């Protein structure tokens, strides 16, 4: 990603100047829901919240450390002096800054599992190659190409019709199919019921509750789970994360409640 800055084509002089001065990049995430399926974790669970925290910390640690190592090799970015990095302020520390600015307690835990002292010491000595390193993009198209669920979002539907220039074709949640096969439940009767319910399995009696919880579709999920997992992720990210809110309601109050929760937990963006 750092090489792209040097090798890129810039349509304007201002864009080139800004990129060469700040060298901002945005390493992201996709296929988060795939990881939850493989770990047998329901999106609507505390396990998801903890996994969001630990997995993003690992990515953040590696990315920030790598940028500092590049600074040792190639030099720090031009505007590094005076930046938060140069003042030993990492993404995790910004929650305390926000709390102080608001004069309002942010309940998102500041816990960590990795030894950040090593990273901080390296940055103090060599600086950072990039002003920003992390940003979770929507990844809608490239996730389709790779064959995973977009960014950090839950599965939109377990079965749906997709249309492109090649024509129409059905997309089915392969993880759900595999689990139903293991239980001997992938048969014509179940397939008909899944089609009848437009992909949802929440009202199919033959399917165990554990699978119903695991394979909830986006609009069957309480948005607090998306917001809380995003908040745990956000504390490790120096830019922002694509955090979409999916609500099948016309209630302004419910929508307001979700955005208020996001604000209280210190999310950078929704």
């Amino acid at each position: 990603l750092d090489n792209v800055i040097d090798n890129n084509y810039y349509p304007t002089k201002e864009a080139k100047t800004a990129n060469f001065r700040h060298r901002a990049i945005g390493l992201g995430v996709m296929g988060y829901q795939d990881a939850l399926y493989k770990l047998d974790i329901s999106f609507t669970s505390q396990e998801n919240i903890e996994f969001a925290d630990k997995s993003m910390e690992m990515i953040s640690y590696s990315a920030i450390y790598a940028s500092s190592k590049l600074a040792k090799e190639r030099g720090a970015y031009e505007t590094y002096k005076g930046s938060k990095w140069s003042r030993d302020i990492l993404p995790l520390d910004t929650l305390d800054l926000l709390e102080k600015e608001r004069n309002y307690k942010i309940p998102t835990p500041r816990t960590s599992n990795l030894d950040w002292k090593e990273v901080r010491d390296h940055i103090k000595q060599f600086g950072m190659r990039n002003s920003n390193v992390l940003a979770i993009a929507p990844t809608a198209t490239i996730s389709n190409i790779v064959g995973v669920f977009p960014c950090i979002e839950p599965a939109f539907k377990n079965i749906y019709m997709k249309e492109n220039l090649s024509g129409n074709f059905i997309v089915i949640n392969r993880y759900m199919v595999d689990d139903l096969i293991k239980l001997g439940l992938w048969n014509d009767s179940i397939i008909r019921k899944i089609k009848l319910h437009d992909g949802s399995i929440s009202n199919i009696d033959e399917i165990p509750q554990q699978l119903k919880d695991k394979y909830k579709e986006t609009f069957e999920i309480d948005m607090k789970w998306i917001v809380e997992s995003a908040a745990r992720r956000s504390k490790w990210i120096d830019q922002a994360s694509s955090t979409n809110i999916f609500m099948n309601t016309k209630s302004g109050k419910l929508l307001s409640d979700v955005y208020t929760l996001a604000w209280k937990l210190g999310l950078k963006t929704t």
Side-chain angles (χ1 to χ4, degrees):
L1 287 173
D2 186 64
N3 290 340
V4 169
I5 294 168
D6 298 316
N7 298 323
N8 209 359
Y9 165 74
Y10 297 97
T12 66
K13 183 176 71 175
E14 292 81 3
K16 184 174 183 179
T17 300
N19 264 22
F20 274 82
R21 289 190 73 207
H22 310 305
R23 305 193 69 84
I25 57 175
L27 182 72
V29 173
M30 62 180 173
Y32 180 80
Q33 175 69 91
D34 297 72
L36 291 184
Y37 285 151
K38 289 182 177 182
L39 292 167
D40 204 28
I41 295 175
S42 168
F43 207 100
T44 56
S45 70
Q46 190 60 33
E47 283 181 288
N48 167 38
I49 305 298
E50 297 301 327
F51 180 67
D53 195 331
K54 291 177 181 177
S55 59
M56 199 66 226
E57 180 183 7
M58 177 193 70
I59 294 166
S60 179
Y61 184 97
S62 301
I64 292 169
Y65 205 175
S67 182
S68 187
K69 287 177 179 177
L70 273 179
K72 178 183 177 181
E73 178 188 327
R74 304 175 180 180
Y77 66 94
E78 189 180 324
T79 54
Y80 170 75
K81 191 175 180 181
S83 67
K84 286 186 173 69
W85 301 114
S86 70
R87 290 178 280 144
D88 193 31
I89 299 172
L90 270 58
L92 181 62
D93 305 318
T94 58
L95 277 177
D96 290 335
L97 293 180
L98 181 60
E99 192 172 89
K100 187 177 179 181
E101 181 184 310
R102 286 181 178 175
N103 194 26
Y104 181 91
K105 179 71 176 174
I106 296 174
T108 301
R110 275 52 156 192
T111 52
S112 61
N113 294 282
L114 300 175
D115 179 15
W116 283 88
K117 184 180 182 305
E118 186 178 354
V119 177
R120 289 180 188 273
D121 289 346
H122 199 279
I123 293 172
K124 285 176 186 175
Q125 187 174 358
F126 300 106
M128 289 283 287
R129 179 65 173 168
N130 314 95
S131 61
N132 296 88
V133 294
L134 295 161
I136 299 179
T139 77
T141 302
I142 58 173
S143 291
N144 280 336
I145 293 169
V146 176
V148 297
F149 290 95
C151 55
I152 42 83
E153 290 179 2
F156 186 71
K157 299 288 291 180
N158 287 317
I159 182 170
Y160 62 95
M161 182 74 76
K162 192 172 175 181
E163 182 179 351
N164 62 19
L165 293 175
S166 301
N168 297 340
F169 55 98
I170 294 173
V171 178
I172 301 177
N173 186 335
R174 65 185 187 275
Y175 300 101
M176 179 189 72
V177 173
D178 288 344
D179 276 350
L180 289 173
I181 289 172
K182 287 175 187 174
L183 295 174
L185 291 174
W186 186 247
N187 52 52
D188 290 341
S189 174
I190 293 292
I191 293 169
R192 279 195 298 270
K193 289 181 180 181
I194 293 174
K195 288 180 180 177
L196 181 66
H197 290 92
D198 199 24
S200 172
I201 63 172
S202 60
N203 294 313
I204 300 176
D205 295 336
E206 295 93 325
I207 296 177
Q209 188 61 45
Q210 186 264 337
L211 281 196
K212 291 179 181 179
D213 293 338
K214 182 177 178 180
Y215 293 108
K216 281 184 178 180
E217 297 178 337
T218 299
F219 285 98
E220 296 172 334
I221 291 174
D222 188 328
M223 287 297 102
K224 75 169 189 174
W225 296 107
I226 283 185
V227 172
E228 288 190 21
S229 58
R232 292 292 192 97
R233 243 180 247 107
S234 183
K235 70 180 185 179
W236 302 113
I237 297 174
D238 57 8
Q239 291 191 68
S241 171
S242 173
T243 306
N244 294 318
I245 302 300
F246 301 90
M247 297 186 73
N248 191 15
T249 179
K250 296 176 183 176
S251 168
K253 181 185 181 305
L254 290 177
L255 192 59
S256 176
D257 288 347
V258 170
Y259 276 93
T260 301
L261 176 63
W263 182 87
K264 287 179 177 178
L265 294 179
L267 256 72
K268 292 181 171 72
T269 51
T270 50

